Amino acid sequence: MHITYKKLFKLLIDRDMNRQDLKKICGLSSASVAKLGKGENITTDMLVRICEGMNCKLEDIMELVPDDEETEDDQND
């Protein structure tokens, strides 16, 4: 399994924000924002700063997905 930050980027779109806004509001470095975009690991401190800056919960910005992203339909065939 791995973590995806697609929910965070959808939240940014919903709030009419971009990655630069996220960087500024949450005090993140460009490297940290790049890691988010690539789905790489970031520290829990950064996750907390994002949640505080975006006024949201952890489950609003990330989710755990299987490495093998087959759907149930594919498995049932």
Side-chain angles (χ1 to χ4, degrees):
M1 298 192 93
H2 67 277
I3 291 173
T4 179
Y5 301 102
K6 289 179 182 178
K7 286 184 168 187
L8 170 61
F9 295 110
K10 182 176 181 332
L11 184 62
L12 290 175
I13 291 168
D14 291 345
R15 295 186 182 182
D16 196 27
M17 296 172 65
N18 60 36
R19 292 175 189 221
Q20 291 300 319
D21 297 327
L22 177 68
K23 210 173 102 171
K24 188 185 308 179
I25 290 169
C26 301
L28 302 176
S29 68
S30 296
S32 296
V33 175
K35 283 184 174 186
L36 289 166
K38 294 176 187 176
E40 295 179 1
N41 293 333
I42 60 169
T43 67
T44 52
D45 177 58
M46 284 190 267
L47 292 171
V48 169
R49 283 193 282 172
I50 293 168
C51 289
E52 289 174 343
M54 297 294 290
N55 193 27
C56 63
K57 297 179 181 177
L58 197 54
E59 59 267 21
D60 296 332
I61 63 169
M62 60 185 280
E63 65 181 329
L64 193 59
V65 294
D67 286 331
D68 183 14
E69 295 189 14
E70 290 183 2
T71 62
E72 287 184 25
D73 292 336
D74 293 340
Q75 293 175 358
N76 293 330
D77 288 343

